[in-house]
Amino acid sequence: MNKLLSPIGKMLPCIALALAMTACGPQDGGGQAGNQPASLSSGQVQLSAAAPVGHYAAARFAEQASFGPTPDLVAQLRTDGFVRWLDAQLAMPASQLNLASFLSYPNPIPNSEWHAYQRMVPNLFLSSPDQLRARVAWALSQFIVVSDRKGDFVGALYWMNMLMQHGLGNYRDLLYQVSVHPMMGQYLDNNQNRPKSAECPHCAPNENYARELMQLFSLGVLQLNADGTPRRGANGQFLETYTQRDVEELARVLTGWQHNPDPPNRRDRDWANWAKPMVPSTWPPERDSGKKVVLGRTFPAGQSQEKDLRDAIDLLMNHPNIAPFVATRLIQHLVKSDPTPQYVSRVSAVFRDNGQGVAGDLKAVVRQVLLDPEARAGDMPGRGRRDDGKLREPLLQLTALWRGLGCTRIPQYPDGWTHAPQGQRPLNAESVFSFYAPTDRAPGSNILAPEQRLINSSELTDRLTLTYRHFSNNRNDLGLMLQAGCQVDRLVQAYGQSTSAYLDMLSMRYFRGAMPPTLRSNIEQLIAEPAWGRDDTTQGALRMLDYALSTPYYGVIK
């Protein structure tokens, strides 16, 4: 692999500032233009439902709105246009994981069942027909976080089903479902949030969920302008959104919820009744029914748990922070890590009012995120901004790799194990703060690039060997990849035909038909003097694929 490591080693210094790709060579090349973007000073980009779309633009849109381009998806986008494709996606019912069998798994779970669990969410992302819904659910899961590190893995799977079901509904309803979900109740302890009383002297209010509901799920810690920039006081200081007293009072508002007790004779694995929302406790000492004041709003004494929760969500939905907060998070996860205030402002406005007087309409918000002029400007090579794009996080790298090969599921190793990025395995974040902070910046710059935290030497080594490892670990057999529906044999055939045919296929599948000339030249040189047998077309095809996709040219979605 030394010959492979040498050229990529020269590119690694570019990764820290990979969002400004001019220093690393051209990210955009030729290729057909897609929808003509509107002026960046306008509001939502105006696109005809049947606007013609070029290959480059369609593949770029697929990188933002799905888990990676496939030949069929690119063809569909070119035929339908972005607006019609979005209409169809938004009308689709939510795909759901089939979880009935998991409730019967023993404890501790055997390796075979653990492998089956780890395959479920990546395979959903890889092949679900409602790609947009799945991509939004993944985005939401990274800032409204639960983790299988606390709570049963079955609860985490039911959590993903909930995000799939409600992630394109209304944010008000989503916050309600989040608040009563048994996995969230277990993860942030709201199922144990009880006031201390004479009847329950061992009880104590638990502030975990109240704090994260405001800090991470809706408002953030600083007051925001409508464009996402922080508000400042008279002396230029940042203004805090809430106080510790607000956290304490909101925790009181949220007391008295419990896992649904019916039916009582559930299986051991279903101890929290994972498929059912939590319900109010019927024992009065478990509920603080006194008057509370949160963010200046009074919650009268004597209200029920349900009424207090609904009122709390109304309070958050009416707060000026929630629109720019959610807008920024969705833009960062779908389109670009460092959006301009103007972009945030346009999406924020749609969150506040979808055009029909409704706030929190996530379908309208996601539509604006994806069709905004700032999102679509780069559909024409050379027309984007230097700060466009986002680093391709490990999970998106993995799914885009296999989708580009036409796989219908992620290939397994002989023992049933399926590779998932160890630094970003779905539903396995180390804490409620997710895999990285949204405020992380690229080293040595002022550019927001949160995903860069996950691009380390281990991740790069994984990318350099991912497909070839499946081949070599399976005793030089493509069988496991072919069983997963992967069209890897076509890639090998193209490699055997000619270097040009192979690179053309890589370019169309992974580089929007515009592979950068420098990368193409590097691969041509490596193929001309291979570090493997000259006639070993399978090894050559897979190693060069891994190499191409581990470079900054592919590692940044611009």
Side-chain angles (χ1 to χ4, degrees):
M1 293 288 286
N2 289 342
K3 289 187 177 181
L4 304 186
L5 291 172
S6 177
I8 194 172
K10 297 176 182 178
M11 296 185 191
L12 291 181
C14 297
I15 289 181
L17 289 175
L19 291 171
M21 285 296 293
T22 52
C24 301
Q27 167 70 7
D28 297 331
Q32 295 168 288
N35 300 286
Q36 177 73 22
S39 165
L40 290 185
S41 63
S42 65
Q44 177 165 327
V45 62
Q46 298 300 310
L47 297 173
S48 165
V53 179
H55 182 94
Y56 185 94
R60 181 174 180 271
F61 186 85
E63 290 176 329
Q64 299 169 343
S66 77
F67 282 93
T70 67
D72 288 346
L73 176 55
V74 170
Q76 183 180 6
L77 286 165
R78 295 193 65 182
T79 299
D80 294 349
F82 300 156
V83 173
R84 185 174 296 163
W85 184 84
L86 284 174
D87 287 343
Q89 285 283 305
L90 294 172
M92 279 187 179
S95 294
Q96 295 281 276
L97 299 167
N98 185 352
L99 303 178
S101 63
F102 282 84
L103 294 175
S104 63
Y105 280 4
N107 193 18
I109 181 173
N111 281 343
S112 58
E113 280 80 3
W114 185 250
H115 293 330
Y117 157 61
Q118 291 189 314
R119 289 195 295 269
M120 288 200 76
V121 173
N123 281 340
L124 173 74
F125 292 164
L126 191 75
S127 60
S128 65
D130 47 336
Q131 277 287 294
L132 177 63
R133 184 181 294 276
R135 182 65 187 275
V136 172
W138 170 238
L140 292 168
S141 77
Q142 292 192 81
F143 69 92
I144 307 177
V145 175
V146 301
S147 174
D148 61 15
R149 295 173 186 243
K150 179 183 177 184
D152 200 281
F153 75 96
V154 178
L157 292 175
Y158 275 102
W159 172 263
M160 182 55 66
N161 271 354
M162 183 276 292
L163 292 180
M164 289 289 292
Q165 186 70 41
H166 297 280
L168 284 174
N170 191 284
Y171 205 74
R172 182 190 308 273
D173 298 331
L174 178 64
L175 287 180
Y176 179 84
Q177 295 298 328
V178 165
S179 299
V180 299
H181 198 279
M183 185 63 181
M184 180 59 79
Q186 174 68 16
Y187 185 62
L188 288 183
D189 306 313
N190 207 52
N191 63 339
Q192 302 173 36
N193 183 13
R194 304 288 185 264
K196 187 174 183 177
S197 64
E199 298 88 346
C200 190
H202 62 280
C203 293
N206 191 298
E207 299 170 8
N208 283 357
Y209 183 63
R211 177 177 289 103
E212 308 313 348
L213 177 60
M214 291 192 289
Q215 177 179 343
L216 300 178
F217 307 163
S218 60
L219 305 183
V221 296
L222 298 178
Q223 294 182 33
L224 302 175
N225 295 307
D227 62 4
T229 57
R231 292 184 60 201
R232 294 179 183 268
N235 297 321
Q237 78 279 16
F238 293 124
L239 302 174
E240 294 183 351
T241 307
Y242 54 85
T243 66
Q244 173 59 24
R245 181 65 176 172
D246 289 317
V247 174
E248 294 169 0
E249 290 290 279
L250 183 56
R252 294 180 59 213
V253 167
L254 298 172
T255 54
W257 290 87
Q258 65 177 9
H259 294 303
N260 193 318
D262 295 321
N265 56 340
R266 300 186 302 279
R267 295 171 175 172
D268 290 345
R269 178 68 66 182
D270 198 22
W271 56 270
N273 219 346
W274 300 115
K276 293 183 178 181
M278 294 195 299
V279 296
S281 169
T282 57
W283 189 40
E286 292 194 317
R287 165 71 177 155
D288 186 333
S289 58
K291 185 181 79 170
K292 306 99 175 174
V293 180
V294 183
L295 296 172
R297 172 167 176 168
T298 298
F299 291 69
Q303 291 197 152
S304 67
Q305 290 99 313
E306 179 76 15
K307 174 62 173 168
D308 265 2
L309 175 58
R310 296 283 186 182
D311 285 353
I313 293 173
D314 285 345
L315 174 63
L316 298 175
M317 287 295 296
N318 291 326
H319 195 284
N321 264 36
I322 194 167
F325 180 90
V326 176
T328 301
R329 296 296 177 272
L330 289 176
I331 294 169
Q332 286 185 309
H333 284 289
L334 298 177
V335 176
K336 61 183 299 185
S337 298
D338 198 16
T340 65
Q342 293 80 10
Y343 189 1
V344 173
S345 181
R346 291 190 292 269
V347 178
S348 178
V350 174
F351 185 98
R352 290 193 302 272
D353 185 344
N354 66 353
Q356 299 176 332
V358 176
D361 179 355
L362 287 170
K363 288 184 179 180
V365 170
V366 168
R367 209 182 256 281
Q368 178 68 40
V369 168
L370 292 171
L371 298 181
D372 190 88
E374 194 163 325
R376 303 273 53 88
D379 287 350
M380 300 186 69
R383 289 284 299 275
R385 299 167 50 97
R386 284 196 61 185
D387 61 358
D388 275 350
K390 66 195 298 294
L391 290 170
R392 199 182 297 268
E393 61 201 69
L395 193 279
L396 294 183
Q397 170 86 13
L398 185 78
T399 57
L401 161 65
W402 297 123
R403 282 175 62 81
L405 284 176
C407 308
T408 55
R409 57 183 172 83
I410 295 177
Q412 300 172 209
Y413 290 102
D415 64 357
W417 180 67
T418 302
H419 180 85
Q422 292 310 298
Q424 201 185 25
R425 184 165 63 79
L427 306 174
N428 186 241
E430 288 189 3
S431 76
V432 73
F433 296 101
S434 194
F435 302 105
Y436 46 76
T439 53
D440 282 352
R441 299 181 185 273
S445 83
N446 199 37
I447 297 174
L448 285 173
E451 304 84 0
Q452 58 82 27
R453 181 180 292 273
L454 302 180
I455 313 301
N456 52 31
S457 59
S458 175
E459 172 62 20
L460 286 172
T461 300
D462 266 359
R463 295 185 184 192
L464 269 171
T465 60
L466 190 54
T467 59
Y468 179 66
R469 197 186 315 149
H470 277 82
F471 172 69
S472 59
N473 283 1
N474 198 34
R475 300 182 181 180
N476 299 338
D477 183 2
L478 292 175
L480 291 180
M481 283 189 273
L482 295 174
Q483 290 171 23
C486 305
Q487 301 165 4
V488 66
D489 51 333
R490 299 186 189 179
L491 193 71
V492 173
Q493 291 166 7
Y495 185 95
Q497 178 182 341
S498 69
T499 299
S500 178
Y502 174 75
L503 292 176
D504 287 346
M505 177 175 280
L506 283 192
S507 181
M508 294 299 286
R509 294 286 181 99
Y510 295 103
F511 294 92
R512 309 173 190 165
M515 179 183 284
T518 301
L519 178 59
R520 190 175 184 110
S521 175
N522 286 340
I523 296 176
E524 288 172 344
Q525 293 174 34
L526 290 168
I527 292 176
E529 299 181 12
W532 53 90
R534 189 173 296 276
D535 296 328
D536 192 341
T537 56
T538 300
Q539 185 176 170
L542 296 180
R543 285 195 171 191
M544 288 297 90
L545 172 62
D546 288 339
Y547 166 68
L549 302 194
S550 63
T551 65
Y553 296 117
Y554 186 73
V556 180
I557 304 173
K558 291 283 279 184

